[in-house]
Amino acid sequence: MSGFATTMNFTSSNEDGSTELAALALQPADHVLCLTASGARPLDLLLGNPARITAIDINPAQNELLRLKIAAFRALDHDDLLAWLGITPTPQRLHLHSKVEVLLPPASHAFWQTRRRAIAAGIWHSGRWERVLRLGAAGTQMIRGRRIDELFGAPTLEDQARIWHDHFDDAVWHSAVRLLSRRWFWTRIIGEPGGAFLPDPAASQARLTGFFRRAAERFFFRESDFTALIFRGRHTADGALPLHLQPQNFETIRTRLDRIEIAEAGLADLGASGLGPFDAFSLSDFGSYCSGEAYDACWHGILAAARPGARFCERIFMNPVRPGPALGPRVRIDEAQSAALTRTDRAIIYDIRAGTLQPA
């Protein structure tokens, strides 16, 4: 996992921040623990108006990406931010970056000096995961062509579900999902260590195809920024964007940036880190990178840093691991809320698990 833990794996957004906000119901005095990843969720969570957000990641590159995005929010207006990120075109990206980099701390400035090509190309679409999605989208566009426009332009959910059933949910799609359900594809082709923990391929295939089938009936794909990455390979200013990049939220995010603190830490060691205690936890999909033993160790670390009654929101992608029996009384999963959030989450590929924590 060493290479994966030092490179930029995620640079845009493939989650739905409104789900975390609904699950965590943040209060003005709350201290939130959030896994950094691309930095999208820590920035989205500012809209919940917590007192503090501590963003942690074991990958220093992901933490540097969040520092970079925070500097860009401070330095640029909304239109220039989208251009600098690479969401809109501009010949002036490095000029815009000159306004951003002067706000970086020295170590971060040095980090990004060696990655100017990624900045010039647009950092938003430069991650490992983004490159994989872009390649997949190119293949989908070759096969589906104008059907993608029809899917995104469906006038009703009934029409969208019909288009999905008639032109997407077929043998070609199932073959692609079958490939995505193979451990070797993730570990050898993508270089994604979480592939080692994938369950049975047939179960994974059924789960993913079912997710997309149900999503086509529940919300418009054109309103999901994740479906833009899946089918078009990129985000655009006139399409769906994550919460922190929507223009009506820009000033709110900008005025609350000082509430984010960034640290290199892991969940298993959270109790000994001195970073807590925390009232809420935004945990993303950490279980995809864990054996059952390592997963439980992470929960013990979370519990050691949690206040009684702390809320949590976890995403489950391909590895549906659950806390061991000894953790059950302390990690209290609200099954009804979790199911409701899963139904409405516009990132499609995740089960949502939400509830409260009762430290010993």
Side-chain angles (χ1 to χ4, degrees), residues 141-161:
Q141 289 164 9
M142 287 180 60
I143 297 169
R144 307 299 178 185
R146 64 181 177 83
R147 298 298 185 186
I148 297 175
D149 290 335
E150 291 180 12
L151 186 69
F152 276 65
T156 68
L157 287 176
E158 290 78 10
D159 289 318
Q160 178 177 270

Side-chain angles (χ1 to χ4, degrees), residues 76 173 311:
L76 306 173
W173 173 253
R311 290 90 64 203

Side-chain angles (χ1 to χ4, degrees), residues 67-76 81 84 93-104 109 119:
R67 291 188 182 98
L68 182 71
K69 289 182 177 180
I70 288 173
F73 262 91
R74 288 184 170 129
L76 306 173
L81 176 66
W84 173 83
R93 192 161 290 124
L94 287 179
H95 171 70
L96 293 173
H97 184 64
S98 68
K99 301 179 182 180
V100 175
E101 63 182 347
V102 296
L103 300 181
L104 292 171
H109 188 276
I119 297 292

Side-chain angles (χ1 to χ4, degrees), residues 1 20 31-32 46 75 88 101 133 162 184 196 285 287 305:
M1 190 167 173
E20 272 74 13
H31 184 190
V32 186
L46 288 174
T88 57
E101 63 182 347
L133 291 175
R162 176 185 52 76
W184 63 265
D285 179 38

Side-chain angles (χ1 to χ4, degrees), residues 46-83:
L46 288 174
L47 294 170
N49 198 27
R52 298 167 60 196
I53 296 174
T54 297
I56 67 166
D57 209 294
I58 60 172
N59 183 346
Q62 301 297 160
N63 280 339
E64 291 296 353
L65 180 62
L66 178 54
R67 291 188 182 98
L68 182 71
K69 289 182 177 180
I70 288 173
F73 262 91
R74 288 184 170 129
L76 306 173
D77 64 25
H78 183 258
D79 288 344
D80 283 347
L81 176 66
L82 296 186

Side-chain angles (χ1 to χ4, degrees), residues 3-11 59 61-62 127-130 191:
F4 192 82
T6 57
T7 59
M8 284 192 299
N9 301 302
F10 316 104
T11 52
N59 183 346
Q62 301 297 160
R128 183 197 302 250
W129 182 236
E130 284 71 21

